């Protein structure tokens, strides 16, 4: 793997970083917490104008056609800024599902709009009290002629109130299928959930929601395979997001440790605290290498069955542990609302629990190791 950044890759990083520094201050992140809509219009528009929303979408659909490695560079910056945007659910997961299995009509209808930010799609996959694998999909899609009737409940659906379409995983006679569902369709009801990360999430109930067979994505019974492949690529970007958040949390803590004087010397001069920060820096750099290796392998068309879950598992643990030790260095103020440290701390745990949690990631890695 070549670790040297190409000029174009560095330009992507610099562009994303500069835009986020200008348009995504911490106050914006605070303002968006538990907001029912949750999408800051100006920031979302800026991302579209710079081509970041279409970064991973092929040029024929109005995107940039770049690879997962470039995506990882951008996601590290999004994590550093704690950017409150639906990029992951719409421009990554939903776009990848459509690219992999969508019909020509579905691709034409949505990919261009996802790339320019004029439409937001979000997946509805998790169900209450169920696992995160294929067996966890129980929402029923009963075939009735040219339509399916969807009945069941999904939880933790991000940005559902801002979505133009839901990408719903449902169980049919053929297995698990994916459907495009209008969130305003008759029989769909939403309830906002208050999460630890305080991003907009919803519980959605489907009460006999009629969906045309034309809105099924892919062949019958192929939904889980499509979703599983999209998730494997997606969690590499979440690992990069975790590294970005951990890195900023540590940078701010190092700055604080160099300024805060206790017993006539800065906090950073105390060996125990200095070692905390050294360990955190080591974990962050190690996680970054793992992310780049996973993304590079994906771009080369190699298997990421082990690398992708390893990257998310390791980087989310590094993020959580970094915020934990940083909170100790800050002391009691780390948990007061006036300081940003509590935001990193909450987001680290929320990200670790989301989009395949630690036990499921360990199952995936073990399955590949023992294969």
């Amino acid at each position: 793997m070549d670790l040297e950044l190409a000029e174009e890759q560095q330009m992507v990083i610099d562009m994303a970083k500069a835009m986020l520094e200008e348009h995504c201050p911490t106050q914006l992140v605070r303002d968006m917490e538990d907001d029912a809509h949750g999408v800051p219009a100006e920031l979302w528009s800026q991302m579209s104008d710079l081509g970041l929303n279409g970064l991973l979408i092929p040029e024929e659909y109005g995107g940039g056609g770049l690879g997962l490695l470039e995506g990882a560079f951008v996601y590290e910056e999004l994590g550093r800024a704690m950017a409150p945007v639906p990029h992951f659910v719409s421009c990554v997961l939903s776009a990848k599902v459509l690219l992999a299995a969508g019909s020509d009509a579905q691709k034409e209808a949505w990919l261009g709009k996802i790339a320019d930010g004029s439409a937001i799609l979000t997946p509805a996959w998790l169900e209450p009290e169920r696992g995160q694998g294929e067996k966890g999909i129980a929402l029923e899609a009963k075939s009735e002629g040219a339509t399916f009737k969807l009945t069941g409940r999904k939880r933790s659906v991000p940005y559902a109130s801002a979505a133009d379409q839901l990408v719903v995983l449902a169980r049919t006679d053929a297995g698990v299928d994916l459907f495009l569902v209008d969130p305003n369709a008759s029989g769909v009801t939403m309830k906002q959930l208050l999460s630890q990360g305080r991003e907009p999430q919803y519980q959605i109930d489907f009460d006999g929601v009629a969906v045309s067979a034309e809105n099924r994505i892919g062949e019958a019974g192929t939904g889980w395979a499509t979703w599983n492949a999209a998730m494997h690529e997606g969690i590499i970007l979440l690992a990069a997001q975790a590294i970005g958040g951990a890195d900023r949390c540590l940078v701010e803590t190092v700055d604080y440790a160099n300024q805060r004087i206790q017993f006539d010397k800065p906090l950073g001069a105390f060996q125990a605290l200095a070692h905390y920060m050294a360990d955190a820096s080591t974990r962050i750099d190690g996680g970054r290498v793992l992310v780049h290796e996973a993304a590079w392998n994906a771009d080369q068309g190699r298997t990421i069955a082990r690398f992708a879950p390893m990257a998310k598992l390791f980087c989310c643990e590094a993020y959580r542990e970094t915020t934990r030790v940083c909170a100790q260095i800050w002391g009691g103020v780390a948990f007061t609302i006036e300081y940003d440290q509590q935001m990193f701390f909450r987001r680290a745990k929320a990200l670790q629990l989301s989009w395949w949690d630690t036990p499921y990631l360990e199952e995936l890695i073990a399955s590949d190791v023992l294969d």
Side-chain angles (χ1 to χ4, degrees):
M1 181 176 66
D2 185 359
L3 296 176
E4 188 72 26
L5 293 183
E7 183 178 353
E8 289 184 354
Q9 292 174 329
Q10 189 60 55
M11 287 174 60
V12 170
I13 296 172
D14 293 343
M15 176 182 66
K17 186 171 187 173
M19 184 276 295
L20 289 165
E21 286 178 348
E22 181 178 355
H23 297 282
C24 189
T26 303
Q27 187 58 49
L28 176 68
V29 181
R30 290 173 176 270
D31 292 344
M32 285 293 108
E33 289 200 328
D34 290 334
D35 183 89
H37 183 70
V39 183
E42 183 180 353
L43 175 58
W44 190 240
S45 175
Q46 287 291 328
M47 291 181 66
S48 296
D49 291 346
L50 292 176
L52 294 178
N53 290 338
L55 190 74
L56 304 176
I57 296 174
E59 294 179 3
E60 63 183 295
Y61 298 109
L66 296 182
L68 214 59
L69 187 56
E70 287 75 17
F73 297 146
V74 171
Y75 263 74
E76 185 168 338
E77 299 306 322
L78 292 174
R80 201 184 310 279
M82 296 183 283
V85 289
H87 191 281
F88 181 69
V89 295
S90 187
C91 307
V92 177
L93 288 182
S94 298
K96 286 191 173 297
V97 163
L98 289 173
L99 283 166
S103 66
D104 290 342
Q106 290 167 345
K107 292 176 181 176
E108 289 295 332
W110 295 110
L111 287 174
K113 293 180 180 179
I114 292 174
D116 68 19
S118 60
I120 294 171
L121 277 65
T122 188
W125 68 290
L126 269 180
E127 299 185 17
E129 309 302 328
R130 292 190 177 276
Q132 304 198 10
E134 183 176 3
K135 292 180 180 177
I137 306 300
L139 186 145
E140 181 185 45
K142 188 175 181 181
S143 177
E144 294 185 1
T147 64
F148 288 86
K149 292 289 184 68
L150 272 58
T151 302
R153 173 175 290 179
K154 296 289 184 179
R155 68 171 173 89
S156 302
V157 182
Y159 296 98
S161 66
D164 296 277
Q165 291 284 305
L166 305 171
V167 179
V168 181
L169 281 86
R171 190 164 293 278
T172 65
D173 292 339
V176 173
D177 280 319
L178 288 154
F179 294 92
L180 285 169
V181 179
D182 186 341
N184 297 312
S186 176
V188 176
T189 56
M190 297 186 190
K191 175 185 177 185
Q192 187 175 2
L193 304 175
L194 302 179
S195 68
Q196 188 172 27
R198 301 181 69 177
E199 305 94 342
Q201 293 190 7
Y202 286 80
Q203 171 183 294
I204 303 182
D205 287 298
F206 298 82
D207 184 11
V209 179
V211 179
S212 167
E214 294 178 353
N215 284 337
R216 180 168 62 191
I217 304 172
E219 298 296 323
T222 63
W224 183 258
T226 302
W227 174 251
N228 189 56
M231 279 286 285
H232 270 78
E233 293 194 9
I235 60 175
I236 296 174
L237 301 182
L238 294 186
Q241 180 178 322
I243 289 302
D247 190 54
R248 179 176 169 188
C249 183
L250 179 61
V251 166
E252 293 187 0
T253 301
V254 169
D255 185 53
Y256 176 74
N258 283 330
Q259 296 182 35
R260 175 72 168 163
I261 304 298
Q262 286 288 340
F263 304 107
D264 297 327
K265 58 183 179 181
L267 288 178
F270 291 92
Q271 187 183 57
L273 300 186
H275 285 187
Y276 276 167
M277 291 179 274
D279 290 344
S281 181
T282 303
R283 281 191 293 269
I284 291 168
D285 281 351
R288 185 179 286 118
V289 171
L290 191 52
V291 167
H292 291 177
E293 185 168 10
W296 182 82
N297 274 280
D299 288 341
Q300 298 301 312
R302 301 182 180 185
T303 178
I304 53 172
R306 189 183 307 186
F307 276 128
M310 283 173 62
K312 184 174 188 290
L313 180 71
F314 185 90
C315 295
C316 284
E317 174 63 23
Y319 192 9
R320 194 199 63 79
E321 184 64 9
T322 297
T323 60
R324 186 186 68 79
V325 299
C326 286
Q328 284 189 284
I329 294 169
W330 282 80
V333 298
F335 295 97
T336 59
I337 200 72
E338 291 81 6
Y339 286 77
D340 293 340
Q341 289 297 310
Q342 47 86 22
M343 299 170 69
F344 289 110
F345 189 86
R346 287 188 286 106
R347 278 165 173 71
K349 192 59 185 175
L351 187 58
Q352 190 177 35
L353 294 172
S354 304
W355 308 109
W356 289 348
D357 60 12
T358 295
Y360 190 71
L361 293 170
E362 289 173 339
E363 284 183 27
L364 292 176
I365 297 168
S367 175
D368 192 71
V369 168
L370 297 170
D371 185 14

